[in-house]
């Protein structure tokens, strides 16, 4: 298989969630949306049952990876990994965790073997995986560990929400608000921004990326009147980045960073905590935003939503974010190939 025909590897996510639904719907719209070939990695029988439940006619074909591109026009290609037990839409079960994890591992392995050019991950339910002994805070950390095993050194993943109107990165992610000030360090901000700048150049084709760095406190601390972190931690980090030739500026008051005019001044908003980044990202592009993991030695994107168990099998789940994730993985992998 030539590089131009390499597929994207789409992991099933939690099979009781909407991952199977939106994968089926995306494939049905493949021609209308001009989607690149993708290989569904997961349980073929779950897809068959879900298609019947949704009353849609989809041909499935279990394939070897190399057959994906030739099969894709006529059937949804599937790399079969059994779930472990019967799957009921909307009813997650810990017995299915092994298949969920196996699909992710397989997708990553295909990239390292040169058989896939990127990973697109459907949503997982972390609480279910935790019951099965999953030892990572989430998807991203697991992917970083898989990468580290392959390359032989630690890998720092950086989560970016990317949509048509905004790219936003949180420096700290899934921690309590009360823990954010202690978690913020100059070194952490600098390392995160270095990865952002590198991947903006190598994977998005932006030669001189502009990084707008948010303050932590209201009004970016108001000169120390509303907290000291902006002056003591964030500002020195920005100075270090500028000394290295990275176009980072701030710290900026977060409440004036995201209106239309302000967004024209930067390529990525670097935020200090989860909601500071994700609230504007989702408000500006809920159906069109994509979760992109920077800092990995392979391309990874994901829909910007959860498993939505209440929608699984109902026909109400929308495939828009998955389609955006597939398109972005396609775009990034093409640019990355040119840059490499």
């Amino acid at each position: 298989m030539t590089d131009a025909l390499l597929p994207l590897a789409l992991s099933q996510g939690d099979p009781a969630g909407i991952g199977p639904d939106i994968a089926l719907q995306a494939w049905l719209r493949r021609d209308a949306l001009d989607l690149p070939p993708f290989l569904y990695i997961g349980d073929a029988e779950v897809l068959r049952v879900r298609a019947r439940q949704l009353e849609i006619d989809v041909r499935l074909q279990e394939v070897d990876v190399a057959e994906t591109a030739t099969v894709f026009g006529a059937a949804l290609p599937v790399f079969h990994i059994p779930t472990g037990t019967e799957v009921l839409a909307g009813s997650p079960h810990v017995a299915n965790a092994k298949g969920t994890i196996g699909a992710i591992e397989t997708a990553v392995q295909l990239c390292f073997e040169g058989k896939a050019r990127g990973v697109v991950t459907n949503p997982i339910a972390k609480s279910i995986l935790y019951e099965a002994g999953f030892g990572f805070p989430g998807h991203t950390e697991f992917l970083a560990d898989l990468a580290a095993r392959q390359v032989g050194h630690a890998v720092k993943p950086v989560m970016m929400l990317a949509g048509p109107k905004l790219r936003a990165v949180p420096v700290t992610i899934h921690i309590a608000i009360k823990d954010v000030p202690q978690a913020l360090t100059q070194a952490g901000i600098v390392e995160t921004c270095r990865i952002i700048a590198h991947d903006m150049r190598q994977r998005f084709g932006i030669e001189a990326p502009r990084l707008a760095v948010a303050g932590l406190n209201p009004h970016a601390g108001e000169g120390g009147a509303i907290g000291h972190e902006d002056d003591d931690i964030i500002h020195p980090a920005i100075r270090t980045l500028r000394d290295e030739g990275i176009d980072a500026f701030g710290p900026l008051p977060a409440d004036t960073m995201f209106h239309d005019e302000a967004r024209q001044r930067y390529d990525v908003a670097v935020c200090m905590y989860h909601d500071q980044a994700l609230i504007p990202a989702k408000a500006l592009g809920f159906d069109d935003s994509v979760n992109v993991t920077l800092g990995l030695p392979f391309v990874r994107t994901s829909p910007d939503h959860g498993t939505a168990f209440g929608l699984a099998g109902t026909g109400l789940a929308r495939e828009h974010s998955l389609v955006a994730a597939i398109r972005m993985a396609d775009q990034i992998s093409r640019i990355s190939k040119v840059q490499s």
Side-chain angles (χ1 to χ4, degrees), residues 143-232:
L143 291 166
D145 183 74
L146 293 175
R149 295 183 214 172
Q150 291 283 342
V151 301
H153 58 77
V155 173
K156 178 177 172 60
V158 171
M159 182 176 79
M160 180 172 74
L161 272 291
K165 296 181 179 180
L166 175 68
R167 300 184 191 97
V169 171
V171 174
T172 64
I173 307 178
H174 297 120
I175 62 175
I177 289 291
K178 66 180 178 61
D179 296 330
V180 171
Q182 289 74 36
L184 281 178
T185 65
Q186 292 182 37
I189 295 169
V190 169
E191 184 180 15
T192 297
C193 289
R194 285 172 179 159
I195 291 169
I196 296 169
H198 176 273
D199 279 19
M200 285 298 104
R201 290 190 295 267
Q202 295 298 316
R203 296 191 170 183
F204 288 80
I206 301 174
E207 288 300 322
R210 302 164 298 168
L211 278 54
V213 183
L216 172 66
N217 298 295
H219 302 177
E222 199 75 81
I226 317 177
H228 62 86
E229 293 87 359
D230 303 275
D231 289 341
D232 294 350

Side-chain angles (χ1 to χ4, degrees), residues 2-6 117 334 337:
T2 64
D3 285 351
L5 295 178
L6 289 179
R117 58 192 171 95
R334 290 175 188 271
K337 183 174 183 295

